[in-house]
Amino acid sequence: MTTNNRMELTAAIEALRALKRPVDVVLYTDSKYVCSGIEEWLPNWKRRDWRTADRKPAKNVGLWQALAAARTPHKIRWQWVRGHDGNVGNEHVDALANAAIDAMLAVPSAR
């Protein structure tokens, strides 16, 4: 039980955590939520104590904090790509994610 945005954030966090040393990296994502959040919204949320411009609590704060921490040792260029538009890397990752979901759903205790 989750949301697409939470999974997009989790994917970016885990990708960065998998890096064994500080590196310069291009992180590709088809999530405008992740790209806009990390590049535009995050500094403002932090400045406003994790509240949006209209003073509502920001969503997924724990994941945004984890992503901010995971990016710290690295120099990252965030690159948005259109999903399901023929980008080879994006299509491959989508196929892997779908295969993992299928495998999880095939296990009776995972339902």
Side-chain angles (χ1 to χ4, degrees), residues 5 7-8 14-15 34 39 47 53-55 57 68 72 74 77 81 86 96 100 103 105 110:
N5 285 341
M7 290 294 91
E8 295 285 359
E14 294 304 322
V34 170
E39 293 183 328
R47 194 170 33 257
D54 59 358
R55 300 177 193 244
T72 299
H74 310 291
R77 183 167 65 92
V81 296
L96 291 172
L105 292 176

CSV table of all heavy atoms in Angstrom, one decimal, residues 5 7-8 14-15 34 39 47 53-55 57 68 72 74 77 81 86 96 100 103 105 110:
chain,number,residue,atom,x,y,z
A,5,ASN,N,4.3,8.4,-6.1
A,5,ASN,CA,5.3,9.4,-5.7
A,5,ASN,C,6.3,8.8,-4.6
A,5,ASN,O,7.5,9.1,-4.7
A,5,ASN,CB,4.7,10.7,-5.2
A,5,ASN,CG,4.1,11.5,-6.3
A,5,ASN,OD1,4.5,11.4,-7.5
A,5,ASN,ND2,3.2,12.4,-6.0
A,7,MET,N,7.1,5.7,-4.3
A,7,MET,CA,8.0,4.8,-4.9
A,7,MET,C,9.1,5.4,-5.7
A,7,MET,O,10.2,5.0,-5.8
A,7,MET,CB,7.2,3.8,-5.7
A,7,MET,CG,6.4,2.8,-4.9
A,7,MET,SD,7.4,1.7,-3.9
A,7,MET,CE,7.5,2.5,-2.3
A,8,GLU,N,8.7,6.5,-6.4
A,8,GLU,CA,9.7,7.3,-7.2
A,8,GLU,C,10.8,7.9,-6.2
A,8,GLU,O,12.0,7.8,-6.6
A,8,GLU,CB,9.0,8.4,-7.9
A,8,GLU,CG,8.0,8.0,-9.0
A,8,GLU,CD,8.7,7.5,-10.3
A,8,GLU,OE1,9.9,7.4,-10.4
A,8,GLU,OE2,8.0,7.1,-11.2
A,14,GLU,N,17.3,4.8,-2.9
A,14,GLU,CA,18.0,3.6,-2.9
A,14,GLU,C,19.1,3.6,-4.0
A,14,GLU,O,20.2,3.0,-3.8
A,14,GLU,CB,17.1,2.4,-3.1
A,14,GLU,CG,16.1,2.2,-1.9
A,14,GLU,CD,16.9,2.0,-0.6
A,14,GLU,OE1,17.9,1.3,-0.6
A,14,GLU,OE2,16.3,2.5,0.4
A,15,ALA,N,18.9,4.2,-5.1
A,15,ALA,CA,20.0,4.3,-6.1
A,15,ALA,C,21.2,5.1,-5.5
A,15,ALA,O,22.3,4.7,-5.7
A,15,ALA,CB,19.4,5.1,-7.3
A,34,VAL,N,9.8,14.2,-8.4
A,34,VAL,CA,11.2,14.1,-7.8
A,34,VAL,C,12.1,15.2,-8.3
A,34,VAL,O,12.7,15.9,-7.5
A,34,VAL,CB,11.8,12.7,-8.1
A,34,VAL,CG1,13.3,12.7,-7.8
A,34,VAL,CG2,11.0,11.6,-7.4
A,39,GLU,N,15.0,19.9,-6.8
A,39,GLU,CA,15.6,21.1,-7.4
A,39,GLU,C,15.0,22.4,-6.9
A,39,GLU,O,15.6,23.4,-6.8
A,39,GLU,CB,15.7,21.0,-8.9
A,39,GLU,CG,16.6,19.9,-9.4
A,39,GLU,CD,16.7,19.9,-10.9
A,39,GLU,OE1,15.7,20.2,-11.6
A,39,GLU,OE2,17.8,19.5,-11.4
A,47,ARG,N,13.2,25.6,4.7
A,47,ARG,CA,13.1,27.0,5.2
A,47,ARG,C,11.8,27.3,5.9
A,47,ARG,O,11.8,28.0,6.9
A,47,ARG,CB,13.4,28.0,4.1
A,47,ARG,CG,13.7,29.4,4.5
A,47,ARG,CD,14.1,30.3,3.4
A,47,ARG,NE,13.5,30.1,2.1
A,47,ARG,CZ,14.2,29.5,1.0
A,47,ARG,NH1,15.4,29.1,1.2
A,47,ARG,NH2,13.6,29.4,-0.1
A,53,ALA,N,4.0,26.4,0.2
A,53,ALA,CA,3.8,27.9,0.1
A,53,ALA,C,2.4,28.3,0.8
A,53,ALA,O,2.3,29.4,1.3
A,53,ALA,CB,3.8,28.3,-1.3
A,54,ASP,N,1.4,27.4,0.7
A,54,ASP,CA,0.1,27.7,1.3
A,54,ASP,C,0.0,27.2,2.8
A,54,ASP,O,-1.0,27.1,3.3
A,54,ASP,CB,-1.0,27.2,0.5
A,54,ASP,CG,-1.0,25.8,0.2
A,54,ASP,OD1,-0.1,25.1,0.7
A,54,ASP,OD2,-1.9,25.3,-0.4
A,55,ARG,N,1.2,27.0,3.4
A,55,ARG,CA,1.3,26.6,4.8
A,55,ARG,C,0.8,25.3,5.2
A,55,ARG,O,0.6,25.0,6.4
A,55,ARG,CB,0.8,27.7,5.7
A,55,ARG,CG,1.4,29.0,5.5
A,55,ARG,CD,0.7,30.1,6.3
A,55,ARG,NE,1.2,31.4,5.9
A,55,ARG,CZ,1.9,32.2,6.7
A,55,ARG,NH1,2.2,31.9,7.9
A,55,ARG,NH2,2.2,33.4,6.2
A,57,PRO,N,1.3,21.1,5.5
A,57,PRO,CA,2.4,20.2,5.6
A,57,PRO,C,2.8,19.6,4.3
A,57,PRO,O,2.0,19.2,3.5
A,57,PRO,CB,1.9,19.2,6.6
A,57,PRO,CG,0.8,19.8,7.3
A,57,PRO,CD,0.1,20.7,6.3
A,68,ALA,N,17.4,13.9,0.7
A,68,ALA,CA,18.4,15.0,0.9
A,68,ALA,C,19.7,14.4,1.5
A,68,ALA,O,20.8,14.8,1.2
A,68,ALA,CB,17.8,16.1,1.8
A,72,THR,N,23.8,13.9,-0.2
A,72,THR,CA,24.9,14.8,0.3
A,72,THR,C,26.3,14.5,-0.2
A,72,THR,O,27.0,15.5,-0.5
A,72,THR,CB,24.8,14.7,1.9
A,72,THR,OG1,23.5,15.2,2.3
A,72,THR,CG2,25.9,15.5,2.5
A,74,HIS,N,27.4,13.4,-2.9
A,74,HIS,CA,27.5,13.3,-4.3
A,74,HIS,C,27.3,14.6,-5.0
A,74,HIS,O,26.6,15.5,-4.5
A,74,HIS,CB,26.5,12.2,-4.9
A,74,HIS,CG,26.6,10.9,-4.2
A,74,HIS,ND1,27.7,10.1,-4.3
A,74,HIS,CD2,25.7,10.3,-3.3
A,74,HIS,CE1,27.4,9.0,-3.5
A,74,HIS,NE2,26.3,9.1,-2.9
A,77,ARG,N,23.4,15.5,-11.1
A,77,ARG,CA,22.6,16.3,-12.1
A,77,ARG,C,21.3,15.5,-12.2
A,77,ARG,O,21.3,14.3,-12.6
A,77,ARG,CB,23.3,16.4,-13.4
A,77,ARG,CG,22.5,17.3,-14.4
A,77,ARG,CD,23.3,17.7,-15.6
A,77,ARG,NE,23.8,16.6,-16.4
A,77,ARG,CZ,23.1,16.1,-17.5
A,77,ARG,NH1,22.0,16.6,-17.8
A,77,ARG,NH2,23.6,15.1,-18.1
A,81,VAL,N,13.3,12.5,-17.8
A,81,VAL,CA,13.0,11.9,-19.1
A,81,VAL,C,11.5,11.5,-19.2
A,81,VAL,O,10.9,11.2,-18.2
A,81,VAL,CB,13.9,10.6,-19.4
A,81,VAL,CG1,15.3,11.0,-19.5
A,81,VAL,CG2,13.6,9.5,-18.4
A,86,GLY,N,10.3,5.5,-25.2
A,86,GLY,CA,11.4,4.9,-25.9
A,86,GLY,C,12.8,5.1,-25.3
A,86,GLY,O,13.8,4.7,-25.9
A,96,LEU,N,11.8,-4.0,-15.3
A,96,LEU,CA,12.3,-4.6,-14.1
A,96,LEU,C,11.3,-4.4,-12.9
A,96,LEU,O,11.0,-5.3,-12.2
A,96,LEU,CB,13.6,-4.0,-13.6
A,96,LEU,CG,14.8,-4.4,-14.5
A,96,LEU,CD1,16.0,-3.6,-14.1
A,96,LEU,CD2,15.1,-5.9,-14.4
A,100,ALA,N,9.1,-7.3,-11.0
A,100,ALA,CA,9.2,-7.4,-9.5
A,100,ALA,C,7.8,-7.4,-8.9
A,100,ALA,O,7.5,-8.2,-8.0
A,100,ALA,CB,10.0,-6.3,-8.9
A,103,ALA,N,6.3,-10.8,-9.6
A,103,ALA,CA,6.8,-11.8,-8.8
A,103,ALA,C,6.3,-11.7,-7.3
A,103,ALA,O,5.9,-12.7,-6.7
A,103,ALA,CB,8.3,-11.7,-8.8
A,105,LEU,N,3.3,-10.4,-6.5
A,105,LEU,CA,1.9,-10.8,-6.5
A,105,LEU,C,1.7,-12.3,-6.6
A,105,LEU,O,0.7,-12.9,-6.3
A,105,LEU,CB,1.2,-10.1,-7.6
A,105,LEU,CG,1.0,-8.6,-7.3
A,105,LEU,CD1,0.4,-7.9,-8.5
A,105,LEU,CD2,0.3,-8.3,-6.1
A,110,ALA,N,2.1,-12.3,-0.1
A,110,ALA,CA,2.3,-10.9,-0.4
A,110,ALA,C,1.0,-10.2,-0.8
A,110,ALA,O,1.1,-9.0,-1.0
A,110,ALA,CB,3.3,-10.9,-1.5
